[in-house]
């Protein structure tokens, strides 16, 4: 590509680079299938499964086993990604997931799928996805030229929202139309197609563990593709050129505890968001319970609520950088707004209020993610970014299983309206804590205020 060629004439990366386009499409298929099965299975457990005395606990347990692999298997994933050809890992993970879903579909068509089998399928699919996503992140430099790293990262990070929106929308609808068998059949086809796409792609230097840009498979493998993944490609590239190196030698890799110990402000912010996640991620349990017990509606309503949440997150991701104010001020305001949005359906029980609340809550999530990942990108030293974002993903991800189990169990004893109010009430002290944390940060020299740091992207490695 000629450097003088107008950028406006360039085709999108997924069309210019067929190998990356195939692998990115495979990621979109696998994530959409995983989300479709997760949301569809929860709706099936709440609305269709026999023996409904513990529907909340059963759906909470399912979400727990579906989210644990991304946290628990991080060290194993790091070793697998570092030691094996990436195309083999990606195609193998998708093929195994497709085989599991196909076997579950055949069992479901032959008769009822046992509850234990639903949990097992969810665990297996989540384990395959926990391997697929970070492996793709690590293999991006093998698929695109250095000049296209940013474009590839943009496509990769958009997948989570797109797949979540599509999968969350189709899952409940598929259950209403064809039961759980219809969901797992569709998921199986998507996974198998993804495996074929990856196998047909060309990977440069396939199987090498470190070629400069992709020299941190261990750290990147643990980060997944959620909010922490917003800076993975930049992290790997900056780490290869480590600004903090002395005489051209790479700095010694610090342990994860040492990284966090040197960033007390960032550590406290992460604790705030981990606490917030205990209440925000409960929405995936509360939404189906609210639809069935309060709105007395069908899977189409669950799909609409999922779509509203996903659409709001997309809009927030695109508009977050334009929201004025320091990150801590914006973050605390968004948490307070989210508290009202999540609690409002507990007071006003209409479809429109629920849809509006999910849209606003999603927008807040998107804005917070953009502002704080950008802040962490500037404050964390380049050499520490792979380890830091691994910790960030593990810390924030670990709250999802706990939240699912707690709110699922509470759903068998409390009304869905009460759970909505509990979500909103739980976010209020977290919003206050984040606001207080921002107020006590002084913009003087080494102790940089978050707003100053965001306005002057010159990371020094000093704790703000």
């Amino acid at each position: 590509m000629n450097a003088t060629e107008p950028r406006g004439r360039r085709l999108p990366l997924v069309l210019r680079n067929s190998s990356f386009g195939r692998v990115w499409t495979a990621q979109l298929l696998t994530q959409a299938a995983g989300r479709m099965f997760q949301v569809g299975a929860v709706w099936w457990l709440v609305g269709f499964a026999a023996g409904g005395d513990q529907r909340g606990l059963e759906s909470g347990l399912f979400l727990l086993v579906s989210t644990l692999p991304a946290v628990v298997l991080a060290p194993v994933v790091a070793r697998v990604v570092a030691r094996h050809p990436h195309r083999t890992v990606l195609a193998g993970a998708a093929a195994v997931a497709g085989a599991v879903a196909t076997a579950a579909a055949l069992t479901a068509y032959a008769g009822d799928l046992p509850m234990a089998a639903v949990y097992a399928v969810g665990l297996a699919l989540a384990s395959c996805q926990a391997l697929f996503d970070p492996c793709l992140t690590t293999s991006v430099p093998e698929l695109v030229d250095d000049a296209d790293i940013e474009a590839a990262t943009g496509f990769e990070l958009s997948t989570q929202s797109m797949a979540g929106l599509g999968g969350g929308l189709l899952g409940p609808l598929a259950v209403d139309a064809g039961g759980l068998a219809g969901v797992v059949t569709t998921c199986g086809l998507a996974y198998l197609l993804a495996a074929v796409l990856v196998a047909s792609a060309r990977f440069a230097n396939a199987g090498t563990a470190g070629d400069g840009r992709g020299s941190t498979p261990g750290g990147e493998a643990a980060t997944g593709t959620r909010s922490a993944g917003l800076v993975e490609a930049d992290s790997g590239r900056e780490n290869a050129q480590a600004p903090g190196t002395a005489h051209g030698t790479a700095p010694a890799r610090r342990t994860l505890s040492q990284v966090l110990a040197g960033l007390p402000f960032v550590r406290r912010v992460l604790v705030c968001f981990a606490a917030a996640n205990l209440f925000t991620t409960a929405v995936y349990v509360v939404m189906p319970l609210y639809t069935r017990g309060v709105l007395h509606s069908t899977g189409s309503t669950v799909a609409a609520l999922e779509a509203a949440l996903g659409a709001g997150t997309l809009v927030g991701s695109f508009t977050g950088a334009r929201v004025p104010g320091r990150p801590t001020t914006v973050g605390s305001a968004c948490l307070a707004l989210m508290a009202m949005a999540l609690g409002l359906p507990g007071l006003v029980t209409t479809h429109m209020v629920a849809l509006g609340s999910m849209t606003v809550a999603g927008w807040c999530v998107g804005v917070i993610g953009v502002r704080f990942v950008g802040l962490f990108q500037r404050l964390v030293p380049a050499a520490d970014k792979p380890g830091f974002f691994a910790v960030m993903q593990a810390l924030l991800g670990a709250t999802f299983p706990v939240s699912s189990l707690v709110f699922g169990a509470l759903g068998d004893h409390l009304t869905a309206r009460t759970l909505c109010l509990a979500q909103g009430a739980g976010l209020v002290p977290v919003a206050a804590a984040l606001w207080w944390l921002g107020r006590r940060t002084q913009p003087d020299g080494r102790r940089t205020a978050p707003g100053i740091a965001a306005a002057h992207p010159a990371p020094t490695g000093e704790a703000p």
Side-chain angles (χ1 to χ4, degrees):
M1 179 65 67
N2 191 333
T4 61
E5 183 178 347
R7 186 174 295 271
R9 296 180 182 176
R10 301 182 71 190
L11 292 172
L13 179 61
V14 292
L15 298 179
R16 287 188 285 112
N17 186 325
S18 61
S19 289
F20 176 77
R22 294 172 189 173
V23 177
W24 176 75
T25 303
Q27 184 191 35
L28 184 63
L29 287 171
T30 59
Q31 288 191 355
R35 186 69 183 139
M36 182 178 179
F37 179 75
Q38 187 181 81
V39 177
V42 170
W43 175 237
W44 177 78
L45 288 168
V46 170
F48 295 89
D53 292 338
Q54 294 183 319
R55 296 180 189 273
L57 178 60
E58 289 170 352
S59 59
L61 283 172
F62 173 79
L63 287 174
L64 184 148
V65 301
S66 297
T67 52
L68 273 180
V71 179
V72 176
L73 297 181
V76 177
V77 169
R79 289 194 294 270
V80 171
V81 173
R83 297 174 183 176
H84 298 280
H86 295 155
R87 179 168 57 186
T88 301
V89 174
L90 291 169
V96 170
V100 170
T102 301
L106 294 175
T107 304
Y109 280 119
D112 291 335
L113 197 64
M115 195 73 67
V118 176
Y119 292 145
V121 172
L123 180 63
L125 297 185
S127 299
C128 292
Q129 200 69 49
L131 182 61
F132 188 99
D133 291 335
C135 184
L136 174 57
T137 300
T138 307
S139 63
V140 163
E142 300 172 14
L143 293 166
V144 302
D145 296 330
D146 185 74
D148 289 325
I149 287 286
E150 286 79 7
T153 303
F155 274 104
E156 185 197 354
L157 296 177
S158 69
T159 309
Q160 184 71 32
S161 297
M162 293 171 59
L165 182 60
L169 179 64
L170 294 176
L173 296 178
V175 170
D176 282 353
L180 198 60
V183 174
V184 289
T185 299
T186 306
C187 292
L189 293 174
Y191 281 120
L192 293 176
L193 177 58
V196 172
L197 289 172
V198 172
S200 65
R202 180 184 178 186
F203 285 62
N205 302 319
T208 58
D211 65 347
R213 292 165 301 185
S215 60
T216 57
E220 290 178 337
T223 59
T225 60
R226 295 186 182 273
S227 59
L230 290 172
V231 294
E232 284 171 4
D234 286 338
S235 301
R237 194 172 66 259
E238 290 180 20
N239 192 43
Q241 301 174 348
T245 57
H247 307 293
T249 60
R253 181 65 57 83
R254 298 197 294 167
T255 65
L256 300 182
S257 59
Q258 289 173 330
V259 172
L260 288 180
L263 298 167
F265 170 79
V266 173
R267 186 174 68 246
R268 296 183 186 111
V269 170
L270 287 180
V271 171
C272 285
F273 286 130
N277 273 4
L278 286 172
F279 300 96
T280 58
T281 55
V283 71
Y284 296 111
V285 175
V286 176
M287 272 194 296
L289 294 174
Y290 188 85
T291 300
R292 181 179 181 273
V294 178
L295 299 179
H296 305 291
S297 191
T298 63
S300 61
T301 299
V302 180
L305 293 176
E306 286 276 352
L309 184 65
T313 303
L314 277 174
V315 174
S317 298
F318 285 115
T319 61
R322 299 183 179 90
V323 178
R326 297 166 54 181
T328 48
T329 302
V330 172
S332 59
C334 283
L335 286 177
L337 180 59
M338 197 186 310
M340 291 186 288
L342 294 178
L344 184 60
L347 300 175
V348 183
T349 58
T350 67
H351 285 71
M352 292 306 299
V353 167
L355 288 171
S357 295
M358 290 300 101
T359 304
V360 172
W363 181 83
C364 292
V365 169
V367 171
I368 290 173
V370 167
R371 295 302 296 270
F372 279 89
V373 171
L375 175 64
F376 297 157
Q377 173 74 344
R378 293 182 173 99
L379 295 182
V380 178
D384 292 332
K385 285 178 182 177
F388 168 78
F389 286 112
V391 173
M392 175 178 171
Q393 180 65 22
L395 178 63
L396 299 182
T399 60
F400 196 174
V402 176
S403 174
S404 300
L405 183 60
V406 170
F407 274 83
L410 290 175
D412 293 326
H413 304 283
L414 302 175
T415 66
R417 296 179 63 179
T418 303
L419 294 181
C420 292
L421 295 174
Q423 281 185 277
L427 286 177
V428 173
V430 182
L434 186 62
W435 176 82
W436 177 81
L437 180 61
R439 283 292 299 266
R440 68 189 294 267
T441 305
Q442 299 298 322
D444 57 354
R446 293 186 178 185
R447 300 183 64 83
T448 310
I452 303 297
H456 302 284
T460 64
E462 299 287 343

